[in-house]
Amino acid sequence: GNSVTQMEGPVTLSEEAFLTINCTYTATGYPSLFWYVQYPGEGLQLLLKATKADDKGSNKGFEATYRKETTSFHLEKGSVQVSDSAVYFCALTNTGNQFYFGTGTSLTVIP
Amino acid sequence: DVKVTQSSRYLVKRTGEKVFLECVQDMDHENMFWYRQDPGLGLRLIYFSYDVKMKEKGDIPEGYSVSREKKERFSLILESASTNQTSMYLCASSPSKGGISYNEQFFGPGTRLTVL
């Protein structure tokens, strides 16, 4: 079946620190992979996506590379800001109809 | 910009009440979804719909039903609310599958439902 596993939080970092949030997946076929972000009191927003192996998604300084050999899609950012404090969800879809989400990783960035 | 709106941000209901949560999207998307979000459990799919009057059960449909009479509107119904249905409910929409590039979902702001 399809599933997503992401690292447990919460994660607390100082401003300008390097961020990695791990995500691994199990899927049949060739899924598309996504990172969503949820700011306090809001719904989820797409942060970045990758649709095939070795693709790199990037947005707002965040990056993630679709690694088929390790079934991973780790989220990274070189220098986090206080405004990056949010909950991050890794997700996949095989069909475009049904999506599978990880449990979310809460990030707090302190000044 | 795609806009997905939900009828209420906060809702308080009593046990046994019938509850309607409404979701409207303005981008002519074929697919619509209802999730509930709980701490430590992430998002769990309740129902989804890929066309008007069509619905499919997700992972946790028990205690819920849905209605999609128009393409832009997808309603979630709690027939008889219970305290274990206290949660954040998120609606999403997406365009239909096209080619090999699967499309993202667009989310509404969520409805935080409390059942007393």
mmCIF file of all heavy atoms in Angstrom, chain A residues 30 32 34 36 38 41-44 46 49 51 89 93-99 101-103, chain B residues 9 31 33 35 37 40-43 45 48 59 90 94 97 101-105 107-109:
data_model
loop_
_atom_site.group_PDB
_atom_site.id
_atom_site.type_symbol
_atom_site.label_atom_id
_atom_site.label_comp_id
_atom_site.label_asym_id
_atom_site.label_seq_id
_atom_site.Cartn_x
_atom_site.Cartn_y
_atom_site.Cartn_z
ATOM 1 N N TYR A 30 4.825 4.965 -9.496
ATOM 2 C CA TYR A 30 5.684 6.150 -9.515
ATOM 3 C C TYR A 30 4.901 7.354 -8.973
ATOM 4 O O TYR A 30 4.321 8.123 -9.732
ATOM 5 C CB TYR A 30 6.162 6.408 -10.946
ATOM 6 C CG TYR A 30 6.872 5.216 -11.521
ATOM 7 C CD1 TYR A 30 6.200 4.262 -12.279
ATOM 8 C CD2 TYR A 30 8.227 5.019 -11.264
ATOM 9 C CE1 TYR A 30 6.852 3.152 -12.788
ATOM 10 C CE2 TYR A 30 8.887 3.912 -11.761
ATOM 11 C CZ TYR A 30 8.194 2.985 -12.525
ATOM 12 O OH TYR A 30 8.845 1.886 -13.024
ATOM 13 N N SER A 32 3.860 10.958 -7.159
ATOM 14 C CA SER A 32 4.315 12.334 -7.011
ATOM 15 C C SER A 32 4.429 12.627 -5.528
ATOM 16 O O SER A 32 3.639 12.121 -4.723
ATOM 17 C CB SER A 32 3.321 13.304 -7.657
ATOM 18 O OG SER A 32 3.369 13.201 -9.048
ATOM 19 N N PHE A 34 5.097 15.560 -2.300
ATOM 20 C CA PHE A 34 4.795 16.944 -1.961
ATOM 21 C C PHE A 34 5.262 17.251 -0.534
ATOM 22 O O PHE A 34 5.280 16.376 0.323
ATOM 23 C CB PHE A 34 3.277 17.183 -1.994
ATOM 24 C CG PHE A 34 2.608 16.824 -3.292
ATOM 25 C CD1 PHE A 34 2.242 15.521 -3.560
ATOM 26 C CD2 PHE A 34 2.341 17.794 -4.234
ATOM 27 C CE1 PHE A 34 1.623 15.181 -4.747
ATOM 28 C CE2 PHE A 34 1.716 17.470 -5.432
ATOM 29 C CZ PHE A 34 1.363 16.158 -5.687
ATOM 30 N N TYR A 36 3.817 20.060 2.191
ATOM 31 C CA TYR A 36 2.850 21.096 2.520
ATOM 32 C C TYR A 36 3.264 21.753 3.839
ATOM 33 O O TYR A 36 3.866 21.118 4.702
ATOM 34 C CB TYR A 36 1.452 20.504 2.694
ATOM 35 C CG TYR A 36 0.741 20.186 1.400
ATOM 36 C CD1 TYR A 36 0.968 18.993 0.740
ATOM 37 C CD2 TYR A 36 -0.168 21.085 0.854
ATOM 38 C CE1 TYR A 36 0.302 18.707 -0.441
ATOM 39 C CE2 TYR A 36 -0.838 20.803 -0.326
ATOM 40 C CZ TYR A 36 -0.596 19.603 -0.963
ATOM 41 O OH TYR A 36 -1.258 19.327 -2.138
ATOM 42 N N GLN A 38 1.658 24.201 7.094
ATOM 43 C CA GLN A 38 0.463 24.722 7.770
ATOM 44 C C GLN A 38 0.900 25.734 8.826
ATOM 45 O O GLN A 38 1.491 25.361 9.839
ATOM 46 C CB GLN A 38 -0.330 23.590 8.404
ATOM 47 C CG GLN A 38 -1.654 24.034 9.011
ATOM 48 C CD GLN A 38 -2.429 22.886 9.628
ATOM 49 O OE1 GLN A 38 -1.845 21.952 10.163
ATOM 50 N NE2 GLN A 38 -3.748 22.946 9.554
ATOM 51 N N GLY A 41 -3.384 28.331 12.660
ATOM 52 C CA GLY A 41 -4.736 28.789 12.374
ATOM 53 C C GLY A 41 -5.145 28.741 10.918
ATOM 54 O O GLY A 41 -6.218 29.251 10.564
ATOM 55 N N GLU A 42 -4.309 28.128 10.086
ATOM 56 C CA GLU A 42 -4.619 28.102 8.656
ATOM 57 C C GLU A 42 -4.688 26.680 8.124
ATOM 58 O O GLU A 42 -4.314 25.723 8.795
ATOM 59 C CB GLU A 42 -3.557 28.883 7.880
ATOM 60 C CG GLU A 42 -3.474 30.345 8.266
ATOM 61 C CD GLU A 42 -2.447 31.102 7.432
ATOM 62 O OE1 GLU A 42 -1.963 30.559 6.431
ATOM 63 O OE2 GLU A 42 -2.148 32.251 7.816
ATOM 64 N N GLY A 43 -5.166 26.560 6.893
ATOM 65 C CA GLY A 43 -5.137 25.275 6.203
ATOM 66 C C GLY A 43 -3.761 25.010 5.632
ATOM 67 O O GLY A 43 -2.830 25.799 5.798
ATOM 68 N N LEU A 44 -3.622 23.877 4.961
ATOM 69 C CA LEU A 44 -2.330 23.509 4.380
ATOM 70 C C LEU A 44 -2.103 24.250 3.072
ATOM 71 O O LEU A 44 -3.034 24.475 2.292
ATOM 72 C CB LEU A 44 -2.279 22.001 4.107
ATOM 73 C CG LEU A 44 -1.937 21.094 5.276
ATOM 74 C CD1 LEU A 44 -3.027 21.073 6.314
ATOM 75 C CD2 LEU A 44 -1.644 19.674 4.763
ATOM 76 N N LEU A 46 0.646 24.251 -0.365
ATOM 77 C CA LEU A 46 1.733 23.541 -1.019
ATOM 78 C C LEU A 46 3.024 24.325 -0.880
ATOM 79 O O LEU A 46 3.070 25.523 -1.172
ATOM 80 C CB LEU A 46 1.425 23.337 -2.493
ATOM 81 C CG LEU A 46 2.511 22.608 -3.277
ATOM 82 C CD1 LEU A 46 2.605 21.153 -2.839
ATOM 83 C CD2 LEU A 46 2.252 22.696 -4.782
ATOM 84 N N LYS A 49 6.956 20.466 -4.719
ATOM 85 C CA LYS A 49 6.590 19.132 -5.170
ATOM 86 C C LYS A 49 7.617 18.608 -6.157
ATOM 87 O O LYS A 49 8.408 19.367 -6.722
ATOM 88 C CB LYS A 49 5.202 19.118 -5.812
ATOM 89 C CG LYS A 49 5.119 19.820 -7.161
ATOM 90 C CD LYS A 49 3.709 19.675 -7.730
ATOM 91 C CE LYS A 49 3.613 20.320 -9.104
ATOM 92 N NZ LYS A 49 2.233 20.213 -9.660
ATOM 93 N N THR A 51 7.712 15.306 -9.234
ATOM 94 C CA THR A 51 6.845 14.332 -9.874
ATOM 95 C C THR A 51 7.573 13.110 -10.409
ATOM 96 O O THR A 51 6.925 12.139 -10.815
ATOM 97 C CB THR A 51 6.062 14.979 -11.027
ATOM 98 O OG1 THR A 51 7.005 15.554 -11.933
ATOM 99 C CG2 THR A 51 5.135 16.057 -10.509
ATOM 100 N N PHE A 89 4.098 18.913 6.397
ATOM 101 C CA PHE A 89 3.557 17.599 6.060
ATOM 102 C C PHE A 89 4.162 17.117 4.748
ATOM 103 O O PHE A 89 4.147 17.823 3.742
ATOM 104 C CB PHE A 89 2.035 17.664 5.867
ATOM 105 C CG PHE A 89 1.259 17.931 7.118
ATOM 106 C CD1 PHE A 89 0.972 19.227 7.511
ATOM 107 C CD2 PHE A 89 0.808 16.881 7.894
ATOM 108 C CE1 PHE A 89 0.253 19.478 8.671
ATOM 109 C CE2 PHE A 89 0.080 17.116 9.060
ATOM 110 C CZ PHE A 89 -0.193 18.422 9.441
ATOM 111 N N THR A 93 0.934 11.074 -3.852
ATOM 112 C CA THR A 93 -0.235 10.574 -4.561
ATOM 113 C C THR A 93 0.232 9.722 -5.732
ATOM 114 O O THR A 93 1.228 10.029 -6.382
ATOM 115 C CB THR A 93 -1.155 11.702 -5.045
ATOM 116 O OG1 THR A 93 -2.320 11.131 -5.645
ATOM 117 C CG2 THR A 93 -0.474 12.592 -6.062
ATOM 118 N N ASN A 94 -0.517 8.666 -5.951
ATOM 119 C CA ASN A 94 -0.268 7.807 -7.095
ATOM 120 C C ASN A 94 -1.241 8.076 -8.222
ATOM 121 O O ASN A 94 -0.944 7.832 -9.378
ATOM 122 C CB ASN A 94 -0.427 6.338 -6.688
ATOM 123 C CG ASN A 94 0.919 5.647 -6.590
ATOM 124 O OD1 ASN A 94 1.797 5.908 -7.397
ATOM 125 N ND2 ASN A 94 1.071 4.793 -5.607
ATOM 126 N N THR A 95 -2.393 8.546 -7.863
ATOM 127 C CA THR A 95 -3.479 8.639 -8.835
ATOM 128 C C THR A 95 -3.931 10.066 -9.089
ATOM 129 O O THR A 95 -4.652 10.319 -10.020
ATOM 130 C CB THR A 95 -4.701 7.870 -8.326
ATOM 131 O OG1 THR A 95 -5.168 8.517 -7.138
ATOM 132 C CG2 THR A 95 -4.355 6.425 -8.013
ATOM 133 N N GLY A 96 -3.545 10.990 -8.221
ATOM 134 C CA GLY A 96 -4.086 12.335 -8.291
ATOM 135 C C GLY A 96 -5.443 12.430 -7.627
ATOM 136 O O GLY A 96 -5.965 13.521 -7.425
ATOM 137 N N ASN A 97 -6.019 11.294 -7.287
ATOM 138 C CA ASN A 97 -7.301 11.309 -6.596
ATOM 139 C C ASN A 97 -7.142 11.148 -5.087
ATOM 140 O O ASN A 97 -7.765 11.862 -4.321
ATOM 141 C CB ASN A 97 -8.204 10.198 -7.121
ATOM 142 C CG ASN A 97 -8.683 10.479 -8.525
ATOM 143 O OD1 ASN A 97 -8.718 11.625 -8.947
ATOM 144 N ND2 ASN A 97 -9.035 9.448 -9.242
ATOM 145 N N GLN A 98 -6.326 10.210 -4.680
ATOM 146 C CA GLN A 98 -6.158 9.993 -3.255
ATOM 147 C C GLN A 98 -4.726 10.340 -2.848
ATOM 148 O O GLN A 98 -3.772 9.909 -3.484
ATOM 149 C CB GLN A 98 -6.478 8.542 -2.882
ATOM 150 C CG GLN A 98 -6.578 8.325 -1.399
ATOM 151 C CD GLN A 98 -7.437 7.124 -1.051
ATOM 152 O OE1 GLN A 98 -7.912 6.420 -1.923
ATOM 153 N NE2 GLN A 98 -7.630 6.895 0.239
ATOM 154 N N PHE A 99 -4.627 11.105 -1.769
ATOM 155 C CA PHE A 99 -3.340 11.561 -1.259
ATOM 156 C C PHE A 99 -3.087 10.923 0.093
ATOM 157 O O PHE A 99 -4.008 10.681 0.857
ATOM 158 C CB PHE A 99 -3.342 13.089 -1.107
ATOM 159 C CG PHE A 99 -3.258 13.830 -2.408
ATOM 160 C CD1 PHE A 99 -4.315 13.817 -3.295
ATOM 161 C CD2 PHE A 99 -2.123 14.546 -2.743
ATOM 162 C CE1 PHE A 99 -4.249 14.491 -4.500
ATOM 163 C CE2 PHE A 99 -2.047 15.234 -3.940
ATOM 164 C CZ PHE A 99 -3.108 15.214 -4.818
ATOM 165 N N PHE A 101 -0.799 11.425 3.580
ATOM 166 C CA PHE A 101 -0.025 12.422 4.315
ATOM 167 C C PHE A 101 0.715 11.778 5.485
ATOM 168 O O PHE A 101 0.217 10.836 6.111
ATOM 169 C CB PHE A 101 -0.948 13.503 4.875
ATOM 170 C CG PHE A 101 -1.504 14.430 3.839
ATOM 171 C CD1 PHE A 101 -2.632 14.083 3.111
ATOM 172 C CD2 PHE A 101 -0.899 15.646 3.586
ATOM 173 C CE1 PHE A 101 -3.147 14.933 2.148
ATOM 174 C CE2 PHE A 101 -1.410 16.508 2.617
ATOM 175 C CZ PHE A 101 -2.531 16.151 1.897
ATOM 176 N N GLY A 102 1.880 12.335 5.787
ATOM 177 C CA GLY A 102 2.551 11.993 7.027
ATOM 178 C C GLY A 102 1.847 12.655 8.192
ATOM 179 O O GLY A 102 0.888 13.416 8.014
ATOM 180 N N THR A 103 2.336 12.393 9.382
ATOM 181 C CA THR A 103 1.673 12.900 10.579
ATOM 182 C C THR A 103 2.025 14.340 10.895
ATOM 183 O O THR A 103 1.441 14.941 11.791
ATOM 184 C CB THR A 103 2.010 12.028 11.799
ATOM 185 O OG1 THR A 103 3.429 11.938 11.912
ATOM 186 C CG2 THR A 103 1.413 10.629 11.656
ATOM 187 N N ARG B 9 -15.236 28.806 10.687
ATOM 188 C CA ARG B 9 -13.902 28.540 11.223
ATOM 189 C C ARG B 9 -13.995 27.781 12.541
ATOM 190 O O ARG B 9 -13.162 26.939 12.842
ATOM 191 C CB ARG B 9 -13.155 29.853 11.444
ATOM 192 C CG ARG B 9 -12.791 30.588 10.173
ATOM 193 C CD ARG B 9 -11.880 29.779 9.264
ATOM 194 N NE ARG B 9 -10.611 29.428 9.866
ATOM 195 C CZ ARG B 9 -9.522 30.182 9.803
ATOM 196 N NH1 ARG B 9 -9.536 31.318 9.170
ATOM 197 N NH2 ARG B 9 -8.395 29.762 10.356
ATOM 198 N N ASN B 31 -12.150 17.065 -8.312
ATOM 199 C CA ASN B 31 -11.994 16.286 -7.080
ATOM 200 C C ASN B 31 -12.147 17.156 -5.845
ATOM 201 O O ASN B 31 -11.607 18.273 -5.790
ATOM 202 C CB ASN B 31 -10.601 15.647 -7.032
ATOM 203 C CG ASN B 31 -10.333 14.772 -8.220
ATOM 204 O OD1 ASN B 31 -11.223 14.094 -8.720
ATOM 205 N ND2 ASN B 31 -9.096 14.780 -8.679
ATOM 206 N N PHE B 33 -12.293 16.762 -1.321
ATOM 207 C CA PHE B 33 -11.905 15.855 -0.242
ATOM 208 C C PHE B 33 -12.310 16.435 1.108
ATOM 209 O O PHE B 33 -12.287 17.646 1.296
ATOM 210 C CB PHE B 33 -10.377 15.682 -0.215
ATOM 211 C CG PHE B 33 -9.769 15.282 -1.531
ATOM 212 C CD1 PHE B 33 -9.541 16.220 -2.527
ATOM 213 C CD2 PHE B 33 -9.414 13.970 -1.758
ATOM 214 C CE1 PHE B 33 -8.974 15.856 -3.732
ATOM 215 C CE2 PHE B 33 -8.844 13.590 -2.970
ATOM 216 C CZ PHE B 33 -8.624 14.529 -3.951
ATOM 217 N N TYR B 35 -11.004 15.846 5.120
ATOM 218 C CA TYR B 35 -10.075 15.236 6.056
ATOM 219 C C TYR B 35 -10.415 15.697 7.463
ATOM 220 O O TYR B 35 -10.967 16.768 7.655
ATOM 221 C CB TYR B 35 -8.640 15.700 5.790
ATOM 222 C CG TYR B 35 -8.038 15.307 4.475
ATOM 223 C CD1 TYR B 35 -8.162 16.138 3.358
ATOM 224 C CD2 TYR B 35 -7.306 14.123 4.349
ATOM 225 C CE1 TYR B 35 -7.582 15.780 2.140
ATOM 226 C CE2 TYR B 35 -6.717 13.773 3.138
ATOM 227 C CZ TYR B 35 -6.855 14.610 2.047
ATOM 228 O OH TYR B 35 -6.274 14.263 0.847
ATOM 229 N N GLN B 37 -8.111 16.367 11.027
ATOM 230 C CA GLN B 37 -6.740 16.507 11.493
ATOM 231 C C GLN B 37 -6.723 16.467 13.004
ATOM 232 O O GLN B 37 -7.372 17.280 13.667
ATOM 233 C CB GLN B 37 -6.134 17.833 10.995
ATOM 234 C CG GLN B 37 -4.698 18.029 11.410
ATOM 235 C CD GLN B 37 -4.131 19.356 10.947
ATOM 236 O OE1 GLN B 37 -4.841 20.232 10.470
ATOM 237 N NE2 GLN B 37 -2.835 19.506 11.068
ATOM 238 N N GLY B 40 -0.885 14.255 16.379
ATOM 239 C CA GLY B 40 -0.219 12.961 16.377
ATOM 240 C C GLY B 40 -0.720 11.993 15.330
ATOM 241 O O GLY B 40 -0.119 10.942 15.115
ATOM 242 N N LEU B 41 -1.831 12.329 14.688
ATOM 243 C CA LEU B 41 -2.403 11.434 13.676
ATOM 244 C C LEU B 41 -2.334 12.033 12.275
ATOM 245 O O LEU B 41 -2.636 11.344 11.294
ATOM 246 C CB LEU B 41 -3.855 11.104 14.024
ATOM 247 C CG LEU B 41 -4.071 10.370 15.337
ATOM 248 C CD1 LEU B 41 -5.562 10.183 15.606
ATOM 249 C CD2 LEU B 41 -3.371 9.010 15.325
ATOM 250 N N GLY B 42 -1.987 13.290 12.178
ATOM 251 C CA GLY B 42 -1.919 13.920 10.872
ATOM 252 C C GLY B 42 -3.286 14.070 10.240
ATOM 253 O O GLY B 42 -4.298 14.239 10.927
ATOM 254 N N LEU B 43 -3.328 13.976 8.920
ATOM 255 C CA LEU B 43 -4.583 14.098 8.178
ATOM 256 C C LEU B 43 -5.098 12.706 7.842
ATOM 257 O O LEU B 43 -4.356 11.869 7.329
ATOM 258 C CB LEU B 43 -4.365 14.866 6.873
ATOM 259 C CG LEU B 43 -4.445 16.371 6.922
ATOM 260 C CD1 LEU B 43 -3.260 16.947 7.674
ATOM 261 C CD2 LEU B 43 -4.505 16.948 5.518
ATOM 262 N N LEU B 45 -8.235 10.808 5.737
ATOM 263 C CA LEU B 45 -9.254 11.045 4.729
ATOM 264 C C LEU B 45 -10.579 10.434 5.152
ATOM 265 O O LEU B 45 -10.657 9.247 5.472
ATOM 266 C CB LEU B 45 -8.801 10.452 3.393
ATOM 267 C CG LEU B 45 -9.733 10.641 2.214
ATOM 268 C CD1 LEU B 45 -9.867 12.124 1.863
ATOM 269 C CD2 LEU B 45 -9.207 9.857 1.012
ATOM 270 N N PHE B 48 -13.994 11.307 -0.284
ATOM 271 C CA PHE B 48 -13.668 12.168 -1.396
ATOM 272 C C PHE B 48 -14.663 11.954 -2.530
ATOM 273 O O PHE B 48 -15.410 10.965 -2.537
ATOM 274 C CB PHE B 48 -12.220 12.000 -1.856
ATOM 275 C CG PHE B 48 -11.896 10.684 -2.496
ATOM 276 C CD1 PHE B 48 -11.836 10.564 -3.875
ATOM 277 C CD2 PHE B 48 -11.586 9.578 -1.716
ATOM 278 C CE1 PHE B 48 -11.503 9.362 -4.468
ATOM 279 C CE2 PHE B 48 -11.246 8.359 -2.303
ATOM 280 C CZ PHE B 48 -11.204 8.256 -3.681
ATOM 281 N N ASP B 59 -10.455 6.645 4.637
ATOM 282 C CA ASP B 59 -9.977 5.728 5.670
ATOM 283 C C ASP B 59 -10.873 5.665 6.893
ATOM 284 O O ASP B 59 -10.915 4.654 7.585
ATOM 285 C CB ASP B 59 -8.563 6.154 6.103
ATOM 286 C CG ASP B 59 -7.590 6.129 4.939
ATOM 287 O OD1 ASP B 59 -7.653 5.161 4.151
ATOM 288 O OD2 ASP B 59 -6.782 7.064 4.809
ATOM 289 N N LEU B 90 -10.732 19.624 7.482
ATOM 290 C CA LEU B 90 -10.142 20.321 6.349
ATOM 291 C C LEU B 90 -10.750 19.818 5.053
ATOM 292 O O LEU B 90 -10.856 18.610 4.827
ATOM 293 C CB LEU B 90 -8.631 20.084 6.306
ATOM 294 C CG LEU B 90 -7.822 20.663 7.448
ATOM 295 C CD1 LEU B 90 -6.386 20.165 7.394
ATOM 296 C CD2 LEU B 90 -7.831 22.180 7.409
ATOM 297 N N SER B 94 -8.865 19.402 -5.981
ATOM 298 C CA SER B 94 -7.773 19.269 -6.945
ATOM 299 C C SER B 94 -8.369 19.018 -8.317
ATOM 300 O O SER B 94 -9.462 18.453 -8.436
ATOM 301 C CB SER B 94 -6.826 18.129 -6.555
ATOM 302 O OG SER B 94 -7.431 16.878 -6.755
ATOM 303 N N LYS B 97 -6.811 14.097 -12.687
ATOM 304 C CA LYS B 97 -5.511 13.586 -13.102
ATOM 305 C C LYS B 97 -5.268 13.908 -14.568
ATOM 306 O O LYS B 97 -6.134 13.760 -15.396
ATOM 307 C CB LYS B 97 -5.485 12.075 -12.891
ATOM 308 C CG LYS B 97 -4.172 11.411 -13.273
ATOM 309 C CD LYS B 97 -4.215 9.930 -12.995
ATOM 310 C CE LYS B 97 -5.113 9.200 -13.967
ATOM 311 N NZ LYS B 97 -4.947 7.736 -13.859
ATOM 312 N N SER B 101 1.810 14.006 -14.505
ATOM 313 C CA SER B 101 2.138 14.965 -13.460
ATOM 314 C C SER B 101 0.918 15.154 -12.581
ATOM 315 O O SER B 101 -0.023 15.833 -12.942
ATOM 316 C CB SER B 101 2.556 16.291 -14.086
ATOM 317 O OG SER B 101 2.856 17.227 -13.086
ATOM 318 N N TYR B 102 0.934 14.547 -11.431
ATOM 319 C CA TYR B 102 -0.242 14.582 -10.587
ATOM 320 C C TYR B 102 -0.323 15.906 -9.863
ATOM 321 O O TYR B 102 0.655 16.484 -9.458
ATOM 322 C CB TYR B 102 -0.214 13.408 -9.610
ATOM 323 C CG TYR B 102 -0.181 12.096 -10.342
ATOM 324 C CD1 TYR B 102 0.863 11.203 -10.152
ATOM 325 C CD2 TYR B 102 -1.189 11.754 -11.220
ATOM 326 C CE1 TYR B 102 0.894 10.003 -10.829
ATOM 327 C CE2 TYR B 102 -1.158 10.552 -11.899
ATOM 328 C CZ TYR B 102 -0.121 9.680 -11.696
ATOM 329 O OH TYR B 102 -0.099 8.499 -12.369
ATOM 330 N N ASN B 103 -1.524 16.335 -9.703
ATOM 331 C CA ASN B 103 -1.752 17.690 -9.236
ATOM 332 C C ASN B 103 -1.878 17.792 -7.734
ATOM 333 O O ASN B 103 -2.339 16.898 -7.076
ATOM 334 C CB ASN B 103 -3.015 18.231 -9.887
ATOM 335 C CG ASN B 103 -2.849 18.404 -11.371
ATOM 336 O OD1 ASN B 103 -2.028 19.188 -11.829
ATOM 337 N ND2 ASN B 103 -3.612 17.664 -12.146
ATOM 338 N N GLU B 104 -1.521 18.961 -7.237
ATOM 339 C CA GLU B 104 -1.593 19.218 -5.809
ATOM 340 C C GLU B 104 -3.034 19.376 -5.379
ATOM 341 O O GLU B 104 -3.937 19.572 -6.194
ATOM 342 C CB GLU B 104 -0.843 20.495 -5.488
ATOM 343 C CG GLU B 104 -1.548 21.734 -6.050
ATOM 344 C CD GLU B 104 -0.772 22.994 -5.855
ATOM 345 O OE1 GLU B 104 0.020 23.321 -6.743
ATOM 346 O OE2 GLU B 104 -0.982 23.641 -4.817
ATOM 347 N N GLN B 105 -3.231 19.327 -4.085
ATOM 348 C CA GLN B 105 -4.516 19.661 -3.497
ATOM 349 C C GLN B 105 -4.468 21.081 -2.963
ATOM 350 O O GLN B 105 -3.439 21.536 -2.479
ATOM 351 C CB GLN B 105 -4.848 18.701 -2.360
ATOM 352 C CG GLN B 105 -5.103 17.288 -2.828
ATOM 353 C CD GLN B 105 -5.681 16.423 -1.732
ATOM 354 O OE1 GLN B 105 -5.385 16.591 -0.566
ATOM 355 N NE2 GLN B 105 -6.506 15.463 -2.110
ATOM 356 N N PHE B 107 -6.234 23.564 -0.177
ATOM 357 C CA PHE B 107 -6.966 23.401 1.077
ATOM 358 C C PHE B 107 -7.711 24.655 1.500
ATOM 359 O O PHE B 107 -7.258 25.783 1.268
ATOM 360 C CB PHE B 107 -5.994 23.030 2.206
ATOM 361 C CG PHE B 107 -5.566 21.595 2.162
ATOM 362 C CD1 PHE B 107 -4.525 21.181 1.345
ATOM 363 C CD2 PHE B 107 -6.212 20.641 2.944
ATOM 364 C CE1 PHE B 107 -4.130 19.852 1.292
ATOM 365 C CE2 PHE B 107 -5.825 19.310 2.909
ATOM 366 C CZ PHE B 107 -4.788 18.920 2.082
ATOM 367 N N GLY B 108 -8.828 24.440 2.155
ATOM 368 C CA GLY B 108 -9.509 25.509 2.851
ATOM 369 C C GLY B 108 -8.869 25.775 4.197
ATOM 370 O O GLY B 108 -7.948 25.057 4.609
ATOM 371 N N PRO B 109 -9.353 26.790 4.922
ATOM 372 C CA PRO B 109 -8.734 27.184 6.194
ATOM 373 C C PRO B 109 -9.058 26.252 7.353
ATOM 374 O O PRO B 109 -8.418 26.324 8.394
ATOM 375 C CB PRO B 109 -9.308 28.574 6.445
ATOM 376 C CG PRO B 109 -10.616 28.565 5.735
ATOM 377 C CD PRO B 109 -10.435 27.703 4.529
#
